[in-house]
Amino acid sequence: MRTEWQIAFWLAMLILVGFAFYMFASVLAPFVAALALGYVLDPVVTRLQRFGLSRLAATLVILLIFVLLVLVVMFGLGPVLGRQLAGFAESLPGYADKLQNLIAGEIGSLTHSYGGDWLKKLGIDVPSSADDVQKTIGNFVGQGTQYVGNFLRSLWTGGQALVGILALTVITPVVTFYLLLSWPEMISTIRGLIPPRYRATVFAISGDVDRALAGFLRGQSLVCLFLGTWYGVGLTLIGLNFGFFIGISAGFLSFIPYVGSSIALIFSVIVALVQGWPSLGLLGLALLVVGSGQFLEGNILSPKLVGGSVGLHPVWLIFALFAFGSLMGFTGMILAVPLAAAVGVLIRFAVKRYKQSALFRDMGAA
């Protein structure tokens, strides 16, 4: 087969797989979660086999421990999180209104006291009253709320076939069990489909992808556990309303880079500012909890546990999050980092081969 036909074939396969992911994005979340769990837990099952357990017994032990941990978390933390979620959803509009009024009043007084004349000289219109300031801020907040709402609705519709929490809690363990049970055979079958002349190259690439994904999935899971505990306990101890819910949610969403830290910062600042006004002490404590968590995560935990395993530039990572999120909703955001890491490995391999090719050498000689 000519090289052109091979390239065309693999491009067609890539487009077909991408189209299938897009079409079935609404039902993929439980299976993606199961695949990630199987990938993370397979080395543990393999290690238990070395102690004399069969594959079935090792899989049952691991899955039983995992289900027990999930049940403990659900029944131990679930009621508390449920109450705080309901209260937070009910109180959030009131917090937004109070925050808008506070910002409007402060900006109006500061503008007229210190910067009004200079702004007029620069040709910038200055609101003449606090009502004008509030109207301006209201328009800005309205546009921002509309953007966030549209984004969240896209995540919801794209993740509609998360089929709710029931699908994740029931389907995921079952699929994980079957994946773990047949994992060696599945990998062996996939490897057997690779043409012999390309196996060395494909195995080298897949090894790089495996190291990148393994480092990210296992390391980031521990980072999320730490951040959820740090934020939840810390924000609760300083007396922040709904602090435990905000902290646990931020820790869970930290699996998606930049999202968890943004959630913790934005909502803790909003609640602390409104709850503690006119005192800024609670705001300072909230910033201390979130800032210290980010410092520990960025300077100690991630370098040690995750390291440079993904090997992606932050700009490329942010683009991947938004691109996959808009296409496939919440499932796309979960898949963004692993897929971006795999693409990064392929691009580095292609660049390396290009520099070794006759085309690069001939162009360099010319």
Side-chain angles (χ1 to χ4, degrees):
M1 184 183 293
R2 293 190 305 175
T3 303
E4 293 82 0
W5 285 107
Q6 295 181 28
I7 295 174
F9 171 78
W10 288 112
L11 283 177
M13 290 296 296
L14 182 62
I15 293 172
L16 183 62
V17 170
F19 180 73
F21 268 94
Y22 175 75
M23 291 297 296
F24 297 104
S26 58
V27 296
L28 283 178
F31 300 94
V32 171
L35 186 63
L37 284 174
Y39 179 77
V40 170
L41 295 177
D42 175 67
V44 182
V45 174
T46 303
R47 186 166 298 181
L48 288 178
Q49 285 186 277
R50 295 173 184 169
F51 290 102
L53 293 178
S54 65
R55 184 79 187 181
L56 176 60
T59 302
L60 287 173
V61 169
I62 292 298
L63 200 60
L64 180 62
I65 294 174
F66 175 76
V67 170
L68 288 176
L69 289 176
V70 171
L71 290 176
V72 168
V73 171
M74 287 181 59
F75 290 102
L77 302 180
V80 178
L81 290 175
R83 288 194 297 270
Q84 291 207 1
L85 172 60
F88 183 72
E90 183 179 353
S91 304
L92 188 58
Y95 278 108
D97 290 337
K98 291 180 182 179
L99 182 65
Q100 180 178 327
N101 293 332
L102 289 176
I103 294 175
E106 291 301 313
I107 288 181
S109 61
L110 289 174
T111 299
H112 287 287
S113 299
Y114 300 103
D117 295 336
W118 287 100
L119 291 175
K120 289 180 179 179
K121 291 179 181 179
L122 293 174
I124 300 175
D125 293 332
V126 180
S128 58
S129 66
D131 292 336
D132 294 333
V133 176
Q134 187 169 355
K135 183 179 179 181
T136 302
I137 295 175
N139 293 334
F140 175 75
V141 172
Q143 292 176 357
T145 303
Q146 183 179 4
Y147 173 78
V148 173
N150 292 335
F151 179 68
L152 291 177
R153 276 193 295 272
S154 70
L155 291 183
W156 173 252
T157 55
Q160 193 62 271
L162 283 178
V163 197
I165 301 297
L166 184 64
L168 288 174
T169 55
V170 176
I171 297 177
T172 299
V174 175
V175 177
T176 303
F177 170 76
Y178 285 108
L179 284 177
L180 282 175
L181 195 61
S182 58
W183 194 273
E185 292 80 6
M186 183 174 62
I187 298 299
S188 177
T189 300
I190 293 174
R191 289 185 172 184
L193 295 175
I194 301 171
R197 62 179 295 189
Y198 298 118
R199 285 180 183 175
T201 301
V202 173
F203 289 169
I205 296 175
S206 62
D208 292 338
V209 173
D210 178 65
R211 282 188 290 273
L213 295 184
F216 174 77
L217 290 176
R218 292 159 191 157
Q220 194 67 24
S221 299
L222 295 176
V223 171
C224 291
L225 179 63
F226 170 82
L227 289 178
T229 305
W230 182 273
Y231 292 148
V233 174
L235 295 176
T236 301
L237 289 178
I238 66 174
L240 187 74
N241 292 340
F242 316 113
F244 188 70
F245 168 73
I246 293 174
I248 294 296
S249 301
F252 173 76
L253 292 175
S254 293
F255 196 80
I256 306 172
Y258 312 115
V259 173
S261 57
S262 301
I263 292 294
L265 179 62
I266 292 172
F267 287 108
S268 62
V269 165
I270 291 174
V271 174
L273 191 60
V274 174
Q275 180 184 343
W277 189 263
S279 172
L280 298 179
L282 185 61
L283 175 62
L285 291 175
L287 290 175
L288 179 63
V289 171
V290 176
S292 58
Q294 283 303 298
F295 176 81
L296 292 173
E297 186 256 337
N299 294 277
I300 298 176
L301 295 175
S302 288
K304 295 291 184 181
L305 299 176
V306 182
S309 57
V310 179
L312 296 176
H313 193 277
V315 174
W316 169 243
L317 197 56
I318 294 172
F319 171 78
L321 289 171
F322 275 90
F324 284 103
S326 63
L327 287 174
M328 302 172 61
F330 187 72
T331 305
M333 295 190 74
I334 296 175
L335 288 172
V337 175
L339 291 180
V343 171
V345 170
L346 292 175
I347 291 175
R348 288 192 290 270
F349 173 79
V351 170
K352 180 180 177 181
R353 281 299 178 91
Y354 166 69
K355 290 184 176 181
Q356 295 174 348
S357 66
L359 175 63
F360 179 79
R361 291 196 300 269
D362 292 344
M363 292 176 66

